[in-house]
Amino acid sequence: PRSTLFPYTTLFRSQATAETATLDGPRQIIHLEGSPRLDDEEAEMTAQMIDFYRLSGAVTADRDVKVTFRQGASAQAPVHAVAEKVFFDHDRDEAILYGAAQDARLWQAANSVAASTIVLDRHDQTLIAPEKNGEGRVHGVFADPGSSSGSKTKGSEAVIRVDANTLAYSAAERKATFEGNVVAQQANGRLRADRAELFMTKNAVVGSNPQRVPNPRGTLDHMVAEGKVQVEEGTRKGEGVRLVYTASDGKF
């Protein structure tokens, strides 16, 4: 029979179900196996193994972790995440997603971020993908209305894809900062730079609730690239030390 645990003061406060639940009394850890699932009004999570740390309120999930964060009625869409391992620090209101053979990935609607490690600080509303010493790069995909300017481009081509060594996103500023060998690509061109800042549209729902998940919402408004900037668009090429791209008209 499936067992149900009510309610512990953790990130997930409603209920947990699993085929088996084992209590480590001295350490006050509840170990869940057999299709474990956590669910409440804010999020739901599944994995192959989930541990509750009752004293600290922390949660760890291992192998084939899938999370859906419900963002409320005013949000564009739920935020989804997949990872090999996830650690929720209740005291710091922080979630750390770890990848393995596949990167950890976080996405909402058309926008997504993938990296070997993704750190979500729900209190400060920031997302960080740190450099991992050659263990992979950060990959971002963002809706770009400017990529279809003057054409009938739709779907996967109406985006800008960005690869870099690191990413820092601030929901308060609606700004995603990529650093380290940045490569930004559209359907008809490519940009290289040392650093690029992507600013999202103001219609992105940020809100003041710290329980909401920080992630690049909305569509791209403009981008500022700096340091050894190179642009290729068909047979045309350009170089400089600073570039500004505006999505509304698709102009560099």
Side-chain angles (χ1 to χ4, degrees), residues 24-64:
D24 182 334
R27 295 193 298 166
Q28 286 294 289
I29 300 173
I30 297 176
H31 181 73
L32 302 173
E33 286 189 284
S35 302
R37 178 187 180 92
L38 299 180
D39 198 353
D40 76 354
E41 72 280 1
E42 289 185 358
E44 62 183 57
M45 178 171 70
T46 61
Q48 292 189 28
M49 183 173 63
I50 297 174
D51 285 342
F52 280 104
Y53 293 76
R54 297 182 65 191
L55 298 180
S56 66
V59 177
T60 60
D62 284 289
R63 299 194 301 276
D64 194 25

Side-chain angles (χ1 to χ4, degrees), residues 85-153:
K85 182 175 182 178
V86 175
F87 172 66
F88 293 99
D89 188 325
H90 177 264
D91 292 336
R92 298 180 63 177
D93 205 5
E94 180 180 86
I96 307 176
L97 286 64
Y98 299 96
Q102 299 291 328
D103 284 339
R105 183 169 176 256
L106 183 83
W107 73 94
Q108 182 184 38
N111 297 348
S112 68
V113 173
S116 56
T117 303
I118 299 174
V119 182
L120 303 172
D121 187 325
R122 302 203 305 172
H123 180 269
D124 293 335
Q125 283 288 281
T126 59
L127 178 155
I128 297 173
E131 190 167 6
K132 297 296 290 183
N133 298 321
E135 294 181 14
R137 293 188 16 108
V138 182
H139 310 282
V141 177
F142 306 94
D144 177 18
S147 66
S148 58
S149 297
S151 70
K152 296 183 179 180
T153 303

